[in-house]
Amino acid sequence: MGQPVISATGLWTPPNSVSNAELVESYNAWADRWNADHAEAIAAGEVQPKPHSSVEFIEKASGIKSRYVVDKTGVTDPEIMAPRIPERPDDEISILAEIAVKAAREALDRAARKPEDVDAVLCAASNMQRAYPAMAVEVQDALGIPGFAFDMNVACSSATFGIQTAADFVRAGHAKSVLMVNPEICSGHLNFTDRDSHFIFGDVATAVLVEDEAIAPAAHWKILHTQLKTQFSSNIRNNFGFLNRAAPEGEGQPDKLFVQEGRKVFKEVVPMVSQMILEDMETLDLAPQALRRLWLHQANANMNRLIAARVLGHEASEEESPTVLDEYANTSSAGSIIAFHRHSGDFQPGEKGLICSFGAGYSAGTVFVEKAG
Ligand code: COA
């Protein structure tokens, strides 16, 4: 039976950053136009005017200060308010696979692993570019990886579900080296004309190489324990699908883009996740002091503050629960992996931490790791 470990991670960040001020300026210009276009109906009391968005609200309510996007022009143009990412011909690599490959190459380089020695690819993300063929198979082909590949979607929890799936393949002896990628072009499912959520998401790609300890590089992360949990809720939802084919854009069909009851999500997910982590710590007989760091899902800074406090028993420092949300915004499944990738280089052998994600479904996943080598 194989012993699964994390050999390396990779990160690809888009070149374009959009500040809250830039995003709010374009939203407010869009809202002013909308109000002018609907002046009569507003005056007659038939529709409500669109109020302005505010930088102060966004930062206070979420902790987000900026986000990276694949297409800055479209999302900041009040006449477009959506990313404009041209479709590519079928003989060109698709953009989701392309960014996954960029993150994957970094993970493979860091582990000094050749693609031909990888056995499987999992593409775990909130939004796949198409129904089929699987994005994972395109990534596999682009890298020259033998074996098998498939996509999986567990929304914001996709990466932790992907890590456990990869770990199970290693344990079962079906693979010794599994590449798990999380390409997230979240700007594509975001309604930039919705004041409540226009600021939430950003684009990025991450990769995690899960391998059998027997072939892993000396410096790796032991996977001590994982747990996955789901509980149905419509509070985070996107109804876009193959049975509704009209263009999923703008105000016309807001339910075919990301929608949420943010307050309810906040209230329901914080206890669900804190309890899950505390249960895991009991199973592992792990005291809070034995956990050096929590790499939490990056959706809301206030949520993370509460979860970390419940788990650690005190207000967490930035070193104990690092934030990448301020720079990247919510990048769905990739958030906790960015935090881990960016803030784990200082760990000494024997030190332990937790990668944890949560989101739509509801879904939540924990991956307890220990630095080795
Ligand atoms: N600019 C200014 N004001 C805004 C605003 C904006 N962009 N968006 C909303 N507001 C206003 C609202 O109209 C409301 O005004 P009111 O009090 O006069 O009615 C007020 O701010 C509070 O709005 P609310 O939606 O209750 O804010 P919130 O404090 O719950 O914060 C979220 C909103 C989305 C940041 C927060 O609920 C959240 O992050 N929840 C968790 C979501 C999550 O993790 N989702 C997972 C996604 S994968």
Side-chain angles (χ1 to χ4, degrees):
M1 199 169 110
Q3 189 59 48
V5 305
I6 293 177
S7 288
T9 54
L11 168 67
W12 176 79
T13 302
N16 314 303
S17 175
V18 181
S19 68
N20 285 344
E22 289 173 298
L23 201 69
V24 164
E25 190 187 334
S26 53
Y27 175 86
N28 289 348
W30 174 86
D32 290 345
R33 282 176 197 210
W34 192 94
N35 291 339
D37 290 346
H38 296 81
E40 271 181 34
I42 293 169
E46 288 158 19
V47 291
Q48 291 296 314
K50 304 273 184 199
H52 275 186
S53 180
S54 104
V55 170
E56 294 69 34
F57 169 83
I58 295 172
E59 199 171 324
K60 189 159 177 277
S62 70
I64 296 167
K65 295 180 183 163
S66 62
R67 72 284 297 141
Y68 294 98
V69 291
V70 169
D71 174 48
K72 181 166 177 171
T73 311
V75 304
T76 53
D77 183 338
E79 285 196 15
I80 302 176
M81 302 297 274
R84 282 279 182 259
I85 303 171
E87 284 197 43
R88 296 177 177 184
D90 290 356
D91 59 359
E92 216 178 287
I93 189 167
S94 39
I95 185 146
L96 214 70
E98 182 179 283
I99 69 171
V101 164
K102 286 179 178 167
R105 285 202 196 282
E106 188 184 2
L108 294 173
D109 286 351
R110 285 178 158 220
R113 176 75 55 230
K114 292 198 191 86
E116 55 267 35
D117 297 328
V118 176
D119 304 311
V121 179
L122 307 181
C123 180
S126 284
N127 292 284
M128 298 303 164
Q129 185 156 355
R130 55 172 181 260
Y132 45 81
M135 300 312 304
V137 180
E138 192 175 5
V139 172
Q140 175 193 14
D141 180 65
L143 288 165
I145 291 173
F148 64 93
F150 63 89
D151 294 347
M152 49 188 288
N153 177 351
V154 201
C156 288
S157 299
S158 297
T160 49
F161 277 61
I163 291 172
Q164 178 170 314
T165 305
D168 287 343
F169 282 140
V170 171
R171 283 191 199 102
H174 294 310
K176 282 194 180 309
S177 177
V178 184
L179 176 66
M180 197 276 301
V181 290
N182 322 105
E184 293 283 12
I185 304 188
C186 298
S187 57
H189 80 168
L190 185 52
N191 183 352
F192 286 90
T193 66
D194 175 30
R195 175 173 169 263
D196 288 352
S197 65
H198 75 114
F199 54 88
I200 288 183
F201 288 102
D203 303 338
V204 81
T206 50
V208 180
L209 190 64
V210 176
E211 301 193 305
D212 188 346
E213 195 172 22
I215 66 157
H220 59 253
W221 296 84
K222 290 183 189 176
I223 297 175
L224 300 176
H225 176 79
T226 57
Q227 192 192 165
L228 310 180
K229 199 178 178 71
T230 48
Q231 182 186 304
F232 186 70
S233 166
S234 288
N235 288 334
I236 313 170
R237 192 159 172 139
N238 181 343
N239 285 333
F240 178 63
F242 78 103
L243 295 179
N244 46 53
R245 292 198 236 171
E249 198 170 284
E251 281 195 298
Q253 300 197 79
D255 77 312
K256 306 300 184 296
L257 294 166
F258 167 87
V259 282
Q260 74 168 352
E261 295 281 346
R263 278 274 156 104
K264 288 188 186 160
V265 174
F266 197 113
K267 275 199 194 128
E268 290 168 13
V269 169
V270 168
M272 173 182 161
V273 171
S274 322
Q275 196 188 334
M276 182 174 168
I277 299 173
L278 289 169
E279 274 168 25
D280 280 342
M281 287 166 65
E282 211 173 300
T283 306
L284 285 168
D285 198 17
L286 209 61
Q289 310 82 272
L291 268 186
R292 174 161 177 202
R293 193 161 295 160
L294 309 174
W295 300 281
L296 297 179
H297 173 50
Q298 303 283 314
N300 180 297
N302 301 322
M303 249 171 130
N304 283 7
R305 203 167 299 132
L306 278 176
I307 292 172
R310 287 190 188 185
V311 169
L312 300 177
H314 62 262
E315 187 84 10
S317 64
E318 186 57 24
E319 125 100 17
E320 288 171 314
S321 175
T323 310
V324 299
L325 179 75
D326 51 349
E327 180 183 345
Y328 282 85
N330 183 342
T331 49
S332 195
S333 68
S336 56
I337 306 300
I338 306 173
F340 177 62
H341 179 85
R342 284 258 188 110
H343 299 283
S344 56
D346 55 342
F347 265 55
Q348 299 303 314
E351 288 185 326
K352 298 180 182 67
L354 166 69
I355 302 170
C356 176
S357 62
F358 39 88
Y362 295 133
S363 57
T366 56
V367 179
F368 286 81
V369 292
E370 178 183 323
K371 178 78 184 168

